[in-house]
């Protein structure tokens, strides 16, 4: 913030651009749960990036002698039924799971927001788009994902597309509901009376007021995507089984949950930490982007 | 005689009633039915009626926030209803609206400055610096401080927010402003301030208002002429003095009689009207007021009365307007309770 802009307006109101940039960053740093969320997410991201450095062995190296080792000094997170080191597997698994989770969230958000916004705003499209989403939601989601993945051929990208498509109707529904509420507010009519175009009204006036439920929904989608990916992989419709993902680790460990609970607890914990981090991050963003929320006590 | 600023003719809006049991059962609500009036340069036309009678819809139809089913709206000789695209956008500079609810009419995520300059940004014929300067001028004009420019709506009181709404309406230099229950949501003391502000601005900028309200005292204070609506139709239009001194439509009379008089011994004899407003889904045949009217006769139930002139500036839609005049002269004779 330059001194010129400050002196221009005695009340400390600065030119808007600088105002927003400085203000958002400052508000974010003040927001405790945003900071915690950011730390958790960064941590997970670092693990994924530096997996080769963290992993003591190749994630697929078997050592039958050391199968079902509980967490110990030698094997901090224990080993699985084939004696593979869980530290390596979880670290490498972070790569695939994060990519799938984020990919699904981005793809899902892009289409879900667009379709939901259009359905909520244009009454003519509403009936068609919502019946279409009814049709998609009529299938059990995992079955639909299997169908799509099977049709497209097995790969990680396929899994991302399939899972994103499955959750699009849900995201669209949620956004549509918010748009329906917000568009009845008089400030929307004020924009219209000012001569604003539909696009401007919908995307720049209505959508910013629909963010809170969307952020919550997207963190759910992330968690679901990471877990469902395991099912697709299990059926041979996701990434090849040699690449571990958190979902695969959990579904493999499930058979031994009595004898070796760490096989499910560790990757499950990794998912929980990531989702928690994203949730806190989302909460923080939601509060910071809403000028009504006072930041002092946060 | 010069052309009026705004002329509205045969304006109608019908909605398909939702929740109909079947397609056959689909019924139509005539929210606004064959409404006509005009607004002169620099005057304020008050539009009164009870809630649900179509006053706000009328305002929004004129602004083209809702598309009318029928009728014509002429603004400075331009046919408002046939305009499209850029022409409509240009016209919006000249016609603005102030809303009822100061809480939902301002976008909570925009600073006051951004809210006020939105019409200018959209119209796009001013650069950023000029727009900001204008926003600050307008804030001063409506009695706020230019230091408030960077604040957000939630930091203001209802009255202050309404001032922001007025500043926004003034931004593109309009000639005509629809005030849709603009003071109804405010405390009485704040109402008075905002009304005075509206009057000052009218004088300064030569504005014309369509002042929509259910509050007869407020309308009496601000209007030049007053139109009374009942169930989607205008039943009486007259200049303020005539309407308040000698109302001719029984509904207007009943409305005026319902204004509380703040003095115990001057309690007015009430010309009460019984019953509820008829449903807009199934309006009574003939005169829409016939079911509640104390002087309704067979003719009223058969035939809807047309608007007719009683005097140069007094129009009424009642078969027996002449007779009801005598009744108003001696209210005690017919008063109930």
């Amino acid at each position: 913030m330059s001194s010129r802009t400050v002196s221009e307006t005695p009340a400390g109101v600065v030119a808007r651009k600088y105002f927003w940039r400085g203000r958002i960053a400052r508000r974010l740093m003040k927001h405790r749960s945003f900071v915690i969320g950011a730390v958790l997410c960064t941590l997970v991201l670092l693990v994924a990036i530096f997996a080769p450095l963290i992993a003591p062995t190749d994630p697929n190296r078997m050592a039958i002698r050391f199968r079902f080792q509980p967490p110990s000094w030698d094997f901090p997170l224990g080993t699985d039924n084939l004696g593979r080191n869980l530290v390596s597997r979880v670290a490498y698994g972070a790569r695939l799971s994060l990519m799938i989770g984020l990919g699904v969230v981005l793809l899902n958000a892009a289409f879900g927001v667009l379709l939901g916004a259009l359905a909520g705003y244009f009454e003519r499209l509403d009936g068609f788009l919502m019946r279409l989403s009814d049709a998609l939601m009529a299938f059990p989601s995992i079955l639909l994902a299997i169908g799509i993945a099977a049709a497209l051929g097995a790969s990680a990208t396929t899994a991302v597309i399939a899972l994103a498509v499955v959750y699009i109707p849900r995201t669209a529904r949620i956004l549509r509901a918010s748009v329906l509420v917000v568009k009845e507010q008089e400030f929307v009519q004020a924009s219209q009376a000012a001569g604003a175009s539909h696009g401007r009204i919908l995307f720049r006036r209505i959508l910013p007021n629909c963010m809170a439920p969307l952020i919550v929904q997207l963190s759910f989608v992330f968690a679901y995507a990471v877990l469902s990916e395991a099912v697709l992989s299990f059926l041979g419709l996701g990434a090849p089984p040699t690449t571990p993902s958190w979902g695969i680790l959990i579904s493999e460990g499930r058979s031994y949950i009595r004898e070796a609970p760490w096989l499910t607890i560790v990757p499950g914990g990794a998912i929980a930490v990531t989702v928690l981090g994203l949730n806190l991050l989302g909460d923080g963003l939601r509060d910071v982007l809403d000028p009504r929320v006072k930041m002092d006590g946060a | 005689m010069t052309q009026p600023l705004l002329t509205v003719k045969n304006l109608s809006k019908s909605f398909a009633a939702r929740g109909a049991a079947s397609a056959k059962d689909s019924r139509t609500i005539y929210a606004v039915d064959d409404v006509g009036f005009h607004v002169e340069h620099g005057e304020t036309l008050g539009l009164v009626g009870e809630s649900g009678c179509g006053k706000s819809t009328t305002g929004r139809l004129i602004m083209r926030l809702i598309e009318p089913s029928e009728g014509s709206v002429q603004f400075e000789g331009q046919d408002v209803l046939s305009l499209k695209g850029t022409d409509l956008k240009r016209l919006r500079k000249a016609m603005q609206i102030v809303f009822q609810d100061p809480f939902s009419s301002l976008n909570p995520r925009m600073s006051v400055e951004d809210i006020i300059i939105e019409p200018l940004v959209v119209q796009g014929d001013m650069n950023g610096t000029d727009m900001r300067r204008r926003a600050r001028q307008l804030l001063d004009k409506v009695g706020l401080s230019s230091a408030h420019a960077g604040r957000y709506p939630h930091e203001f009181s209802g009255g202050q927010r309404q001032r922001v709404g007025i500043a926004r309406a003034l931004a593109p230099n309009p000639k005509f402003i629809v005030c849709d229950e603009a003071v109804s949501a405010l405390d009485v003391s704040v109402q008075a301030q905002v009304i005075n502000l509206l009057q000052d601005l009218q004088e300064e900028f030569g504005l014309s208002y369509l002042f929509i309200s259910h509050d007869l005292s407020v309308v009496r204070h601000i209007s030049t002429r007053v139109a009374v609506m009942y169930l989607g139709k205008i039943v009486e239009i007259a200049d303020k003095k005539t309407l308040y001194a000698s109302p001719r439509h029984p509904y207007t009379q009943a409305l005026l009689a319902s204004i509380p008089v703040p003095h115990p011994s001057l309690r007015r004899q009430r010309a009460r009207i019984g019953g509820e407003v008829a449903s807009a889904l199934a309006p009574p045949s003939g005169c829409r007021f016939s079911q509640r009217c104390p002087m309704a006769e067979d003719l009223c139930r058969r035939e809807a009365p047309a608007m007719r002139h009683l005097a140069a500036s007094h129009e009424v839609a009642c078969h027996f307007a002449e007779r009801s005049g005598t009744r108003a002269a001696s209210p005690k004779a017919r008063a109930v309770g």
Side-chain angles (χ1 to χ4, degrees):
Chain A
M1 285 176 282
S2 69
S3 57
R4 192 190 64 81
T5 46
V6 173
S7 62
E8 194 178 82
T9 51
V13 180
V14 254
R16 277 173 305 149
K17 257 187 199 162
Y18 302 102
F19 174 77
W20 264 109
R21 248 181 241 158
R23 178 158 161 151
I24 291 252
R26 219 167 350 111
R27 278 166 69 98
L28 281 177
M29 285 305 117
K30 261 193 188 172
H31 197 283
R32 199 170 299 151
S33 68
F34 177 85
V35 173
I36 297 172
V39 168
L40 289 180
C41 288
T42 314
L43 213 69
V44 174
L45 210 60
L46 287 179
V47 167
I49 293 170
F50 295 108
L53 296 180
I54 294 166
T57 58
D58 183 279
N60 288 319
R61 207 189 112 191
M62 294 178 270
I64 301 296
R65 255 191 330 137
F66 297 114
R67 64 203 297 255
F68 292 129
Q69 291 289 313
S72 65
W73 193 247
D74 289 335
F75 303 101
L77 298 177
T79 61
D80 67 3
N81 56 327
L82 298 173
R84 291 175 293 196
N85 193 327
L86 218 55
V87 175
S88 311
R89 289 182 72 72
V90 168
Y92 273 96
R95 295 182 149 187
L96 188 60
S97 287
L98 285 190
M99 269 194 306
I100 286 182
L102 293 179
V104 170
V105 164
L106 288 180
L107 206 60
N108 177 271
F111 285 93
V113 167
L114 188 68
L115 295 179
L118 293 177
Y121 189 71
F122 295 106
E123 268 169 47
R124 286 180 187 194
L125 292 174
D126 192 26
F128 172 71
L129 288 176
M130 284 303 111
R131 293 303 79 74
L132 199 70
S133 80
D134 282 345
L136 278 177
M137 293 204 335
F139 293 98
S141 53
I142 199 68
L143 217 61
L144 183 61
I146 290 169
I148 297 171
L152 295 176
S155 75
T157 323
T158 305
V160 168
I161 294 172
L163 293 171
V165 169
V166 167
Y167 296 116
I168 282 173
R170 286 152 224 267
T171 308
R173 273 278 155 104
I174 284 171
L175 206 80
R176 167 183 174 267
S178 315
V179 169
L180 284 178
V181 172
V182 174
K183 85 168 179 180
E184 293 305 321
Q185 306 232 358
E186 283 178 338
F187 69 77
V188 173
Q189 293 188 3
S191 288
Q192 210 185 335
S197 62
H198 287 308
R200 186 187 181 87
I201 292 174
L202 178 55
F203 291 105
R204 300 187 56 179
R205 297 292 173 256
I206 296 182
L207 275 194
N209 284 293
C210 300
M211 282 300 131
L214 182 70
I215 287 172
V216 176
Q217 164 71 4
L218 289 181
S219 55
F220 274 126
V221 167
F222 182 88
Y224 279 128
V226 169
L227 289 174
S228 311
E229 181 270 334
V231 178
L232 292 184
S233 298
F234 182 75
L235 295 170
L237 292 169
T242 45
T243 20
S245 74
W246 291 344
I248 293 175
L249 295 185
I250 290 178
S251 74
E252 282 177 358
R254 210 182 37 197
S255 329
Y256 312 106
I257 197 157
R258 276 173 189 280
E259 302 82 7
W262 59 89
L263 290 183
T264 42
I265 290 173
V266 170
I271 295 175
V273 166
T274 313
V275 171
L276 178 68
L278 285 171
N279 261 320
L280 292 173
L281 213 64
D283 283 355
L285 274 180
R286 186 195 61 204
D287 289 350
V288 166
L289 295 177
D290 188 343
R292 282 165 299 188
V293 177
K294 285 224 170 68
M295 298 302 300
D296 307 327
Chain B
M1 208 172 92
T2 53
Q3 198 183 23
L5 180 69
L6 178 85
T7 313
V8 176
K9 279 184 193 150
N10 310 105
L11 193 66
S12 301
K13 175 68 186 179
S14 51
F15 297 98
R18 289 231 181 131
S22 69
K24 273 184 209 164
D25 197 29
S26 70
R27 290 187 292 181
T28 318
I29 295 175
Y30 297 95
V32 173
D33 192 4
D34 199 13
V35 159
F37 56 85
H38 68 275
V39 179
E40 300 285 350
H41 293 270
E43 81 162 351
T44 301
L45 176 67
L47 186 58
V48 292
E50 54 201 296
S51 31
C53 73
K55 345 179 260 295
S56 290
T57 310
T58 305
R60 275 152 216 233
L61 288 173
I62 296 168
M63 295 292 301
R64 286 211 40 197
L65 296 176
I66 311 174
E67 291 299 321
S69 315
E70 260 178 82
S72 81
V73 177
Q74 299 257 327
F75 185 79
E76 294 190 301
Q78 254 184 320
D79 180 5
V80 174
L81 301 183
S82 68
L83 291 180
K84 276 183 192 149
T86 325
D87 294 332
L88 179 61
K89 192 162 137 184
R90 292 286 154 219
L91 173 83
R92 293 203 183 280
K93 280 202 283 196
M95 297 168 78
Q96 281 292 314
I97 180 164
V98 176
F99 293 96
Q100 167 171 20
D101 181 356
F103 289 86
S104 88
S105 66
L106 306 179
N107 189 335
R109 286 175 188 261
M110 289 165 76
S111 68
V112 159
E113 181 178 54
D114 286 338
I115 289 172
I116 293 174
I117 65 176
E118 185 178 23
L120 305 173
V121 173
V122 170
Q123 295 290 344
D125 34 33
M126 220 188 252
N127 69 40
T129 327
D130 287 348
M131 285 194 285
R132 278 201 282 285
R133 193 177 304 132
R134 175 128 180 97
R136 275 143 221 262
Q137 283 169 356
L138 286 167
L139 279 170
D140 284 333
K141 194 114 276 171
V142 297
L144 296 170
S145 148
S146 55
H148 289 143
R151 299 223 188 137
Y152 287 84
H154 70 274
E155 298 173 64
F156 294 91
S157 69
Q160 288 175 315
R161 283 159 162 252
Q162 203 56 306
R163 288 169 191 266
V164 173
I166 293 170
R168 169 176 60 194
L170 288 174
N173 253 332
K175 293 179 181 143
F176 173 66
I177 298 182
V178 174
C179 302
D180 184 4
E181 301 268 13
V183 298
S184 309
L186 306 175
D187 291 343
V188 177
S189 60
V190 182
Q191 269 190 3
Q193 293 168 9
V194 172
I195 287 170
N196 289 339
L197 170 66
L198 286 170
Q199 284 181 317
D200 292 345
L201 294 169
Q202 180 168 43
E203 225 164 85
E204 188 173 347
F205 299 111
L207 296 168
S208 304
Y209 294 135
L210 175 65
F211 195 89
I212 299 169
S213 178
H214 61 263
D215 188 332
L216 289 151
S217 328
V218 169
V219 167
R220 179 177 207 165
H221 183 76
I222 197 169
S223 304
T224 325
R225 290 183 305 128
V226 178
V228 180
M229 263 184 106
Y230 180 78
L231 214 58
K233 279 187 181 289
I234 289 187
V235 295
E236 189 163 11
I237 305 182
D239 54 61
K240 177 172 66 179
K241 259 193 195 145
T242 319
L243 190 104
Y244 280 85
S246 58
R248 287 307 179 90
H249 197 282
Y251 179 64
T252 315
Q253 292 168 354
L255 268 189
L256 292 178
S258 70
I259 302 176
V261 184
H263 196 292
S265 62
L266 283 181
R267 189 176 297 154
R268 213 179 288 205
Q269 295 289 346
R270 287 198 156 191
R272 262 204 326 225
I273 44 173
E276 290 282 318
V277 185
S279 160
L281 267 172
S285 62
C287 176
R288 290 191 165 193
F289 190 57
S290 58
Q291 288 173 337
R292 302 169 76 189
C293 184
M295 30 189 287
E297 293 180 13
D298 282 346
L299 175 65
C300 302
R301 290 178 201 105
R302 260 198 333 268
E303 236 174 84
M307 279 299 260
R308 58 200 175 97
H309 281 274
L310 287 181
S313 66
H314 193 168
E315 286 176 76
V316 64
C318 177
H319 292 302
F320 302 114
E322 285 79 6
R323 209 195 297 171
S324 69
T326 54
R327 182 177 156 261
S330 57
K332 273 179 193 167
R334 306 264 316 224
V336 190

